[in-house]
Amino acid sequence: MEDNGLNSTYDDKKKILAVDDEEQILDLLKYNIEKEGYAFISAQDGEEGLEKVINEKPDLVLLDVMLPKMDGLSVCRKIRQEQIGVPVIMLSAKGEEIDKILGLEIGADDYMTKPFSTRELIARIKANLRKLEQDDNVSYSKGNKLTVGQLTLDLDKFEITVRGQVVNNLTKKEFEVLRYLAQKPGQVVSRATLIKEVWKYDYLGDIRTVDVTIRRIREKIEKNTANPKILITKRGVGYYIVGK
């Protein structure tokens, strides 16, 4: 599998790195990604993938879970430990929820199960790149904090405080979910709205991604996840943050 060589137009394009050990998958991704006008980079094992994340500085990473030398979850964990903020979409042939939970917990932005629709994958790539551009254009004044009930979000530090205790192990996506809900205290927000406004998808996608993310947030901010007092479920409707 040969990557695109660097040329006069390469640096002007958004770069997508695909890390997968299946040649057919890489060929499929290369065709569809280049057709959308992106530059395509590939790696066929975890160690090579991590090296290319660091050296090539892609704008987005498609990362398979099952990889030679270093598995995808370890690669994603290392990316976040190095404080590299590139969006990561995990790809896996496994359908068990535990894989999705682990992927989101260690900092993946999204998760797709093989076989996947290339149309849906491209839509998710565009959504994550669009969200990244929006984040880059956002600036906050110093001391910009949002307090709702027992929860305080420091929008400068991307840090939250719960009942006076700092919680600094939230992923970026978890923080974004809390920020969106905190801006609407007491207002129930549907899963579909969260998918559209936080994940920036123009379609429902896998709304179970929202449920997994909510579950991970509760494990970090609630005293008792079986009886949450901050992040509440309105059965059959969505989620809200208690405003008092």
Side-chain angles (χ1 to χ4, degrees):
M1 183 78 195
E2 294 184 359
D3 292 339
N4 288 351
L6 294 176
N7 54 49
S8 59
T9 61
Y10 183 86
D11 289 334
D12 298 330
K13 298 180 179 180
K14 294 290 186 183
K15 293 188 288 187
I16 311 297
L17 168 63
V19 188
D20 200 300
D21 62 338
E22 296 184 49
E23 193 80 27
Q24 290 181 330
I25 295 292
L26 290 177
D27 287 340
L28 177 68
L29 292 173
K30 176 180 171 65
Y31 172 78
N32 285 279
I33 286 171
E34 290 185 342
K35 187 172 69 171
E36 294 296 326
Y38 301 119
F40 180 79
I41 312 167
S42 70
Q44 293 184 286
D45 65 65
E47 291 182 357
E48 182 188 9
L50 182 58
E51 180 182 346
K52 288 194 173 182
V53 169
I54 295 171
N55 295 330
E56 298 277 359
K57 296 179 173 55
D59 295 283
L60 182 140
V61 179
L62 302 174
L63 183 60
D64 190 34
V65 172
M66 302 299 293
L67 291 168
K69 297 185 180 180
M70 181 186 294
D71 65 81
L73 293 174
S74 297
V75 173
C76 185
R77 185 179 293 109
K78 186 66 175 176
I79 290 172
R80 296 312 183 218
Q81 287 174 348
E82 295 294 324
Q83 298 185 333
I84 300 172
V86 62
V88 175
I89 300 177
M90 302 294 299
L91 305 176
S92 176
K94 295 183 178 181
E96 293 86 353
E97 188 166 299
I98 186 64
D99 295 309
K100 178 175 291 188
I101 292 172
L102 285 173
L104 296 174
E105 180 182 9
I106 62 178
D109 296 273
D110 203 353
Y111 193 106
M112 293 190 69
T113 303
K114 298 176 182 177
F116 50 79
S117 159
T118 53
R119 181 179 178 182
E120 180 180 348
L121 178 62
I122 293 298
R124 294 197 185 194
I125 288 173
K126 290 180 177 179
N128 277 279
L129 290 175
R130 187 162 60 243
K131 183 65 175 65
L132 183 65
E133 290 174 354
Q134 290 173 351
D135 288 346
D136 288 342
N137 291 329
V138 172
S139 61
Y140 300 106
S141 61
K142 290 185 178 180
N144 192 6
K145 295 183 179 181
L146 178 62
T147 298
V148 181
Q150 304 177 63
L151 187 69
T152 297
L153 288 82
D154 188 320
L155 304 181
D156 299 317
K157 298 179 180 179
F158 283 88
E159 181 179 87
I160 71 164
T161 303
V162 183
R163 296 177 292 272
Q165 299 295 316
V166 174
V167 179
N168 55 18
N169 62 339
L170 268 76
T171 66
K172 185 177 180 182
K173 192 65 67 180
E174 290 165 355
F175 185 91
E176 289 170 353
V177 169
L178 279 177
R179 180 172 66 182
Y180 187 82
L181 292 174
Q183 290 170 338
K184 306 173 185 296
Q187 179 179 330
V188 180
V189 179
S190 70
R191 294 171 177 84
T193 297
L194 286 171
I195 281 286
K196 181 178 180 180
E197 299 298 330
V198 178
W199 276 263
K200 298 300 179 182
Y201 298 159
D202 296 324
Y203 56 94
L204 285 181
D206 185 0
I207 61 173
R208 292 177 67 241
T209 298
V210 176
D211 298 331
V212 172
T213 303
I214 293 291
R215 183 185 309 167
R216 299 304 307 171
I217 293 172
R218 280 184 176 144
E219 290 176 357
K220 298 173 183 179
I221 70 172
E222 298 283 1
K223 289 183 177 180
N224 180 2
T225 57
N227 185 27
K229 300 296 184 181
I230 301 173
L231 182 49
I232 310 300
T233 301
K234 183 70 173 179
R235 190 172 297 277
V237 184
Y239 302 101
Y240 68 96
I241 288 181
V242 175
K244 296 181 180 180

